[in-house]
Amino acid sequence: MKCEIIAVGTELLLGEIVNTDAQAISQGLAELGINVYFETVCGDNPERLRSVLEIAKGRADIIVTTGGLGPTADDLTKETIAAAFGKQLELHQPSMDRLLQHFKGRTMTPNNEKQAWLPQGCFVLDNDWGTAPGCAFEAEGCVVVMLPGPPSECVNMFRQRAMPYLAKLSGGTICSRYIRVFGMGESEMESKLTHQMQTWRNPTAAPYAKEGECLVRVTAMAETEEKARAMTEPALEELRAILGDVVYGVDVDSLEQVVVQEMTARGLTLAAAESCTGGLLGKRVTDIPGASACFLGGVVSYSNQAKQDLLGVKKETLEQFGAVSEQVACQMAEGVRRAMGADVGVSTTGVAGPGGSEQKPAGLVYIGLSTKEGTRAVRILKPNQSRDRVRRLASSTALDLIRRYVQGLSE
Amino acid sequence: MKCEIIAVGTELLLGEIVNTDAQAISQGLAELGINVYFETVCGDNPERLRSVLEIAKGRADIIVTTGGLGPTADDLTKETIAAAFGKQLELHQPSMDRLLQHFKGRTMTPNNEKQAWLPQGCFVLDNDWGTAPGCAFEAEGCVVVMLPGPPSECVNMFRQRAMPYLAKLSGGTICSRYIRVFGMGESEMESKLTHQMQTWRNPTAAPYAKEGECLVRVTAMAETEEKARAMTEPALEELRAILGDVVYGVDVDSLEQVVVQEMTARGLTLAAAESCTGGLLGKRVTDIPGASACFLGGVVSYSNQAKQDLLGVKKETLEQFGAVSEQVACQMAEGVRRAMGADVGVSTTGVAGPGGSEQKPAGLVYIGLSTKEGTRAVRILKPNQSRDRVRRLASSTALDLIRRYVQGLSE
C-alpha cells in the first residue's frame, strides 16, 4: 500500500511552523509497513487543495491529511475532500454532543458547530486533545484519513486513532516499544543488531540516534494490542541481552526520569556541583515532576573562588592540577555531597568550548561521583563538538554514572 | 512569482528527520515577497522525482530543490533535474578545484568527483559549509535552484547564495534585521504595529512569537545590500520608539547573550540562586561562550534546608511565608550575592507544576534581584502552562530583570 501525506496550512508555506506532523505520521506509517512515496503541503485554498487531491488519487492508495478541520472560515479541508470524493457532509450527533460538553458553561459560537459535520458514512476519529474530530472513509479505491493540524492533536490522533484504523485494514493492530541506550554509539549498536534488524519481520527492530543517545524501536503487529504487546516481550529480552547494561530503560522518556525514579524508590538523595554544565544537570533532573523527592539541589561553581568557598575545593589542588582535572572533579563531588547532606554527590568540570588549550582541549570533561563507598571521577573527551553537545553529553554521562551506581552496576 | 519547494530524500518519507529545510526556505521566500503555493517531498527515486518535476513545471515559476547533490549512488537530483530540462552535466573546474582542496592530504574517492559535474550553463552556488555545490538555471520559463540537503548547508546556502540570486531576478538584494522583545505579548505587539505591518511595503515589518518572546523582522530590498541595510535603519528606529524598552536588542540571539555582554562590558558580576528553575537560569547564562567573565556561579536550592544552609534564608521566613514567597525570593537573592561576592544576585522560587495549591498555584513564581541599591522581588503568575513553559518564563523574567537593572531602566 502506498500512502501520500497532505498537510494543509498557509502557515507551513510561510515557514511560520515546521511540518512535524508529517514526520510523526511518516514514522507511524513506517511502523505499519506502509510506504510513503510523496508528501505535499498546500495552503488553505480549496482550488489548490482540490488539484493536490486529484494528483494524490492517481498515485496513492491511502491519503492522510492534516489541518483545516477547525472552526474558522479558512478551515476548508473537510468540505474540499468531501466534494473531491462526491460526498455530502452530515451532522454527527455524538461529535456535536462532545462539542456541547466541551463548551458547557461558555458560549459556543455557530462556527464551532461545523466541526461536527462530517462526510456521510465516515468512521469518526474522536479527538480527546482538542475540539475538531478527525475521520476516515474509503472511496474510489482510496482510504482517506483526515486529522487536525495542531501537532499535539495530530500526533495523538494519528497514533491512537488512525494507526489502529489503518492496522485493521491490513488485518491487525500494532504495539511499539522503545529500548533506551546511553554509552554506545549508533554504529556500534547497529553492528550488534544487524541480524535482528535485517531478518526480523514481526516484530521489527529499528535503531535511532537522538541527542547523543540511541534507541531501538520494537514494533509488533497482531489481531489485538495485547497479543502484539506480548510478541514484543521476547524481542525486548533478546535485544537487552545483546546490548547489556548500556540499556537504561524500556518505554521510559529519559535518563533523568530513570535517575529520579530509581533514587526516589530507594530513598536516596542527590546533590550536584556543576562547573562546565552551568546548571544544565540540575535543570534536567528538575525537568522531572516530583524531582524534589530525591534532588536536594546543588552549586554552580563557575568561578574557582566558588569552588573553594562553597565546595571546599583546595586552593593547592586548583593550582597544581587546574580546575579541569580528576582531582577537582572528586573534591567538587565530595564537597557538594557534604554541603547538602546528600547520599550521592555528582560533579562536572570541563572545557565546553569554543577555545581550550593543548593540555585541556575543548570537549575534555571530568565527571565526579561521591557516595558512602568513596569518590571517583571519569574522563570524557569529545573534540570537534559544539558547546551545546559537549555540555549535553557531560550532563548525560553524569546522569548515567548515577544510574549505574544506584543500580549496582560497575562503572 | 510562484515558487514550489521540492525536498528529495527517503529519510524524510520515513520520518527520520523533519523538513526544516522547507521551513527556512519558505521564510526566506516570504521575505523576498515570493509566494510558495506547494511543497513536495519525494524519495531518492528518479522516476518519482521526474513526475514531481513535471507537475511543478506546470504550476510554479521558481522551483527550489533540496537534497540529493551528494557523492553517494542514491544522490540523483542533479541528473534527474538536468534530464527533465534537457540539459547535459559538464565538469565545473572551479568546483573540482574546491573539492581537491577540501580532500587535500586525504584520498578523494571517484564518487566525490560527481559533485563537480553541474548542468551546462548554470550559475554555481559555492558551498562553504560542505562539499556539494548548489546551482541555478533558467529553462522552459522556470527558474530552478538546487541546494544540498543537510540543514546546516541548505540554510546557509539558501540565505547567502540563493536569496541574493533570486533577489537579483526581481531587481535587488535584501537585508533582514531582527528586533527582539521580552515582556510584551504577541497580540499587544501586533496591535501596536498594525499600521506598519499593513502599510509598509519596503521595508516590511513582520512580527513573530518564539518561546515566550516576540520578535519583529524588518526586511528591505534595494540594488545593493548596503542600501538595503541603510533602509532598515529608520524603520528600526520607528519600531523601537513605538515598542519602548521592552526591546532588549536588535540582531542579537537571546536575552542571555545581552545580559552577558552588558554585564561584561560594565565589569559587573552575577550569581544566581535557583529553586523552581533548578539550574535552567545558570544553564542559559553559560550557554554563552565567555560567560565566565561575568557569571560567578550559583546555588540550586531545591530543598528548604539548602536555602537555609547555603543561602542563609531564615527558618522563620520559610515557616511564616513559605518557600514560594516574595520574602524568600529576596533572602535567596541577597544570600547568593553575599555567598558568591557578586555585584548582582538573582533568584527564582515558585511552583513549576503540575500540582500546586489554592494559595500557591502552579505557575506562581517570585523572582528576586539584589544589588548594591537594594533588594526586591517581582511576582509572575502563569496558570495553565506546562512545567517547561513556567520554568522557561521564570528564567527569562530573571534575565530581563538583570538586563533592565544593568541598563538603568525602571523595573
Side-chain angles (χ1 to χ4, degrees):
Chain A
M1 294 220 282
K2 294 173 297 182
C3 179
E4 175 154 354
I5 300 169
I6 300 173
V8 186
T10 303
E11 67 277 21
L12 287 163
L13 297 179
L14 289 170
E16 289 171 4
I17 55 169
V18 65
N19 196 356
T20 50
D21 285 352
Q23 182 186 26
I25 294 168
S26 298
Q27 283 176 351
L29 291 167
E31 289 174 46
L32 290 172
I34 295 171
N35 290 314
V36 180
Y37 281 171
F38 303 98
E39 293 175 10
T40 309
V41 180
C42 77
D44 302 290
N45 175 293
E47 291 99 79
R48 288 196 283 273
L49 175 54
R50 183 68 182 257
S51 75
V52 163
L53 287 167
E54 293 304 329
I55 293 168
K57 271 188 197 179
R59 62 189 187 185
D61 310 307
I62 301 172
I63 297 172
V64 178
T65 72
T66 68
L69 304 186
T72 64
D74 67 351
D75 288 316
L76 292 163
T77 301
K78 217 163 41 185
E79 293 78 354
T80 308
I81 291 178
F85 286 88
K87 287 185 167 281
Q88 301 290 317
L89 295 182
E90 57 186 21
L91 179 66
H92 183 247
Q93 196 56 48
S95 290
M96 181 62 89
D97 295 342
R98 287 175 70 100
L99 278 172
L100 291 167
Q101 184 62 30
H102 178 86
F103 283 98
K104 207 173 173 179
R106 289 177 294 161
T107 313
M108 184 169 104
T109 52
N111 57 348
N112 273 295
E113 285 181 23
K114 111 182 153 81
Q115 298 176 95
W117 287 74
L118 297 169
Q120 53 189 153
C122 71
F123 179 78
V124 179
L125 308 172
D126 288 338
N127 185 346
D128 284 340
W129 305 271
T131 55
C135 63
F137 62 79
E138 295 183 52
E140 303 181 27
C142 259
V143 174
V144 180
V145 177
M146 289 180 237
L147 302 169
S152 60
E153 298 178 37
C154 178
V155 174
N156 281 310
M157 293 277 286
F158 180 70
R159 293 205 72 92
Q160 298 191 40
R161 302 281 184 265
M163 280 180 76
Y165 174 86
L166 292 169
K168 255 183 214 155
L169 291 184
S170 50
T173 41
I174 63 140
C175 172
S176 289
R177 312 281 300 275
Y178 297 85
I179 298 178
R180 308 276 313 223
V181 168
F182 181 78
M184 182 183 282
E186 193 189 11
S187 54
E188 186 184 350
M189 188 171 85
E190 286 194 7
S191 72
K192 279 183 192 278
L193 303 183
T194 307
H195 174 73
Q196 287 74 17
M197 285 160 54
Q198 292 183 351
T199 62
W200 284 8
R201 288 293 165 265
N202 189 17
T204 57
Y208 286 82
K210 194 180 170 186
E211 292 185 343
E213 294 184 14
C214 289
L215 53 92
V216 190
R217 189 178 57 214
V218 174
T219 303
M221 194 181 285
E223 304 92 73
T224 67
E225 209 194 316
E226 293 71 40
K227 282 191 191 168
R229 191 178 169 88
M231 286 167 67
T232 63
E233 294 292 349
L236 291 171
E237 206 171 311
E238 178 174 339
L239 296 173
R240 288 189 75 138
I242 294 166
L243 294 170
D245 60 21
V246 294
V247 173
Y248 70 76
V250 173
D251 297 338
V252 296
D253 289 332
S254 61
L255 266 170
E256 46 269 38
Q257 186 200 348
V258 172
V259 164
V260 168
Q261 278 175 357
E262 303 249 328
M263 292 199 85
T264 304
R266 287 166 175 79
L268 295 172
T269 57
L270 174 68
E274 304 189 53
S275 185
C276 65
T277 51
L280 174 60
L281 179 54
K283 184 260 175 200
R284 287 182 62 182
V285 171
T286 58
D287 277 341
I288 309 302
S292 57
C294 67
F295 185 61
L296 304 180
V299 170
V300 178
S301 56
Y302 220 57
S303 68
N304 280 350
Q305 199 59 48
K307 291 184 182 73
Q308 294 174 52
D309 295 351
L310 293 174
L311 297 172
V313 174
K314 292 195 187 96
K315 195 164 176 244
E316 308 84 72
T317 314
L318 285 164
E319 281 167 1
Q320 190 179 347
F321 300 101
V324 179
S325 63
E326 190 184 333
Q327 292 81 0
V328 168
C330 285
Q331 291 185 17
M332 286 173 66
E334 276 170 10
V336 81
R337 178 168 171 254
R338 190 174 51 233
M340 295 270 171
D343 296 308
V344 177
V346 68
S347 69
T348 64
T349 181
V351 186
S357 64
E358 206 168 310
Q359 286 86 21
K360 306 278 172 84
L364 174 68
V365 183
Y366 291 91
I367 317 285
L369 187 78
S370 176
T371 68
K372 66 177 183 331
E373 282 86 11
T375 301
R376 59 198 164 84
V378 300
R379 175 182 183 272
I380 55 176
L381 177 59
K382 294 282 166 180
N384 307 318
Q385 300 276 342
S386 71
R387 185 174 172 89
D388 270 359
R389 286 184 70 94
V390 169
R391 281 152 52 92
R392 172 96 196 160
L393 184 70
S395 62
S396 294
T397 304
L399 290 167
D400 198 50
L401 213 56
I402 303 164
R403 192 262 309 177
R404 298 182 72 89
Y405 167 73
V406 172
Q407 294 182 339
L409 300 169
S410 65
E411 188 180 297
Chain B
M1 297 221 282
K2 296 172 296 184
C3 180
E4 175 154 354
I5 300 169
I6 300 173
V8 185
T10 303
E11 66 277 21
L12 286 162
L13 297 177
L14 288 169
E16 290 172 2
I17 55 170
V18 64
N19 196 356
T20 51
D21 285 351
Q23 182 185 27
I25 294 169
S26 298
Q27 284 177 350
L29 291 167
E31 290 174 44
L32 291 173
I34 296 171
N35 290 313
V36 180
Y37 281 170
F38 302 98
E39 293 175 9
T40 310
V41 180
C42 79
D44 302 290
N45 175 292
E47 290 99 79
R48 288 196 283 273
L49 175 55
R50 183 68 181 258
S51 74
V52 163
L53 288 166
E54 293 304 329
I55 293 167
K57 270 189 198 180
R59 63 189 186 185
D61 310 308
I62 300 171
I63 298 173
V64 178
T65 72
T66 68
L69 304 187
T72 63
D74 68 351
D75 288 316
L76 292 164
T77 301
K78 217 163 40 183
E79 292 78 355
T80 308
I81 290 179
F85 286 89
K87 288 185 167 283
Q88 300 292 317
L89 296 182
E90 56 187 19
L91 178 67
H92 183 247
Q93 194 57 45
S95 290
M96 180 61 88
D97 294 342
R98 287 175 70 100
L99 279 173
L100 290 168
Q101 184 62 31
H102 179 83
F103 282 98
K104 208 173 173 178
R106 291 178 292 161
T107 313
M108 184 169 104
T109 53
N111 56 348
N112 274 294
E113 285 180 23
K114 110 182 154 81
Q115 298 176 95
W117 287 76
L118 298 169
Q120 54 189 155
C122 71
F123 179 78
V124 179
L125 308 172
D126 288 339
N127 185 346
D128 285 341
W129 305 271
T131 55
C135 64
F137 63 78
E138 295 184 52
E140 302 181 29
C142 257
V143 175
V144 180
V145 177
M146 290 181 235
L147 301 169
S152 61
E153 298 179 35
C154 178
V155 176
N156 281 309
M157 292 278 286
F158 180 70
R159 294 204 72 92
Q160 298 191 39
R161 303 279 184 268
M163 280 179 76
Y165 174 85
L166 292 169
K168 256 183 215 157
L169 291 183
S170 53
T173 40
I174 63 139
C175 172
S176 289
R177 312 282 299 274
Y178 296 85
I179 298 176
R180 308 276 314 221
V181 168
F182 181 79
M184 182 183 282
E186 192 187 13
S187 55
E188 188 185 348
M189 189 172 84
E190 286 193 6
S191 73
K192 280 185 192 274
L193 303 183
T194 307
H195 175 72
Q196 288 73 16
M197 286 160 53
Q198 291 183 351
T199 63
W200 284 7
R201 287 294 165 265
N202 188 19
T204 56
Y208 287 81
K210 194 181 169 185
E211 291 186 345
E213 295 184 14
C214 289
L215 54 93
V216 190
R217 188 178 57 214
V218 175
T219 303
M221 194 182 285
E223 305 91 72
T224 66
E225 210 194 315
E226 293 72 40
K227 283 191 190 168
R229 193 179 168 88
M231 288 167 66
T232 62
E233 293 293 347
L236 291 170
E237 207 171 310
E238 179 173 339
L239 296 172
R240 288 190 75 139
I242 294 166
L243 295 170
D245 61 21
V246 293
V247 173
Y248 69 77
V250 174
D251 297 337
V252 295
D253 289 332
S254 62
L255 266 171
E256 46 271 38
Q257 186 200 348
V258 172
V259 164
V260 169
Q261 277 174 356
E262 304 248 328
M263 293 200 84
T264 304
R266 287 166 174 79
L268 294 171
T269 56
L270 174 67
E274 305 187 55
S275 184
C276 65
T277 51
L280 174 59
L281 180 53
K283 183 261 176 200
R284 287 182 63 183
V285 171
T286 57
D287 276 342
I288 309 301
S292 56
C294 67
F295 185 61
L296 303 180
V299 170
V300 178
S301 55
Y302 221 58
S303 69
N304 280 350
Q305 198 60 46
K307 290 185 184 70
Q308 294 174 53
D309 295 349
L310 293 175
L311 297 172
V313 174
K314 294 195 187 91
K315 194 163 178 245
E316 309 84 71
T317 315
L318 284 164
E319 280 168 4
Q320 190 178 347
F321 300 100
V324 179
S325 64
E326 190 184 333
Q327 292 81 358
V328 167
C330 287
Q331 289 184 18
M332 285 172 67
E334 276 170 11
V336 81
R337 180 170 169 253
R338 190 174 50 233
M340 294 271 171
D343 297 309
V344 177
V346 68
S347 69
T348 63
T349 179
V351 186
S357 64
E358 206 168 310
Q359 286 86 20
K360 306 276 171 86
L364 174 67
V365 182
Y366 291 91
I367 318 284
L369 186 78
S370 177
T371 67
K372 67 179 188 318
E373 281 86 11
T375 302
R376 61 202 164 79
V378 300
R379 174 181 183 275
I380 55 177
L381 177 59
K382 295 281 165 180
N384 306 319
Q385 300 276 340
S386 71
R387 183 174 174 88
D388 269 358
R389 285 184 70 94
V390 170
R391 281 153 52 93
R392 171 100 195 157
L393 184 71
S395 61
S396 294
T397 304
L399 289 167
D400 198 50
L401 214 56
I402 303 165
R403 193 259 314 175
R404 298 182 73 88
Y405 167 72
V406 172
Q407 295 182 337
L409 301 168
S410 65
E411 189 180 297

